[in-house]
Amino acid sequence: MSQALHSQARTTHLIRDEIRNSTLSQRELAERYNVSRLTIRKWQNRDSAEDLSHRPRTMHTTLTPAQELIVVALRTTLLLPTDDLLAVARESVNPALSRAALGRCLRRHGVSSLLELAARETDKPAKKGSRLSSAIHTQALP
């Protein structure tokens, strides 16, 4: 089994298993493996020797889930370009919404590409620069 370790890693799966199954004190283990007692305590309390993800467990977003659904519904029904959708969303949904947050929301829900949305609506693949794509781009709210 090959494991990828970052440059600061001091423990491997084998060492972590030894730490978890050892009857030595935390101090003795820390000295033996040249790690802190906190590291020893962490691996003794874990259920497995696998390292946990470093990604956040909860996503902090500007929009609430209900607001995200509203924005996605606006995108799918009005087929607005991102900048126009941003203006509408700031007016009606959340004034603190940034363009980047809007883009992440649209990507999460699979509606970031306006051409793909238009193709789904007409059941034909839309090409960039076609009349359909330019017609969609000009459909802005007053």
Side-chain angles (χ1 to χ4, degrees):
M1 175 172 80
S2 165
Q3 67 178 357
L5 297 175
H6 58 80
S7 61
Q8 301 295 319
R10 299 249 179 132
T11 60
T12 63
H13 288 91
L14 296 174
I15 293 173
R16 294 170 192 165
D17 277 333
E18 287 178 25
I19 290 170
R20 288 180 51 241
N21 299 324
S22 178
T23 57
L24 296 175
S25 70
Q26 290 178 356
R27 183 181 201 160
E28 292 170 330
L29 288 169
E31 288 173 2
R32 176 184 284 181
Y33 297 114
N34 194 26
V35 295
S36 68
R37 290 171 65 183
L38 181 67
T39 301
I40 300 297
R41 192 175 319 123
K42 174 177 79 171
W43 290 113
Q44 284 178 337
N45 292 332
R46 293 258 177 106
D47 292 331
S48 75
E50 297 296 319
D51 204 5
L52 297 179
S53 172
H54 295 281
R55 295 179 63 192
R57 290 190 182 108
T58 57
M59 246 182 357
H60 301 286
T61 60
T62 306
L63 297 171
T64 65
Q67 290 174 333
E68 283 193 8
L69 291 176
I70 293 170
V71 168
V72 170
L74 285 170
R75 175 65 165 216
T76 55
T77 56
L78 299 177
L79 298 176
L80 292 174
T82 306
D83 291 328
D84 297 337
L85 181 63
L86 178 62
V88 171
R90 280 183 177 165
E91 286 290 324
S92 60
V93 179
N94 188 340
L97 182 63
S98 68
R99 191 176 197 283
L102 177 63
R104 286 189 297 270
C105 171
L106 296 176
R107 280 192 301 275
R108 256 194 316 276
H109 293 281
V111 292
S112 61
S113 173
L114 196 54
L115 291 174
E116 288 177 12
L117 276 175
R120 280 189 231 160
E121 292 291 320
T122 60
D123 293 332
K124 294 182 202 172
K127 296 178 185 170
K128 209 169 199 171
S130 68
R131 284 187 182 188
L132 180 60
S133 65
S134 60
I136 290 170
H137 185 69
T138 57
Q139 281 185 349
L141 292 178

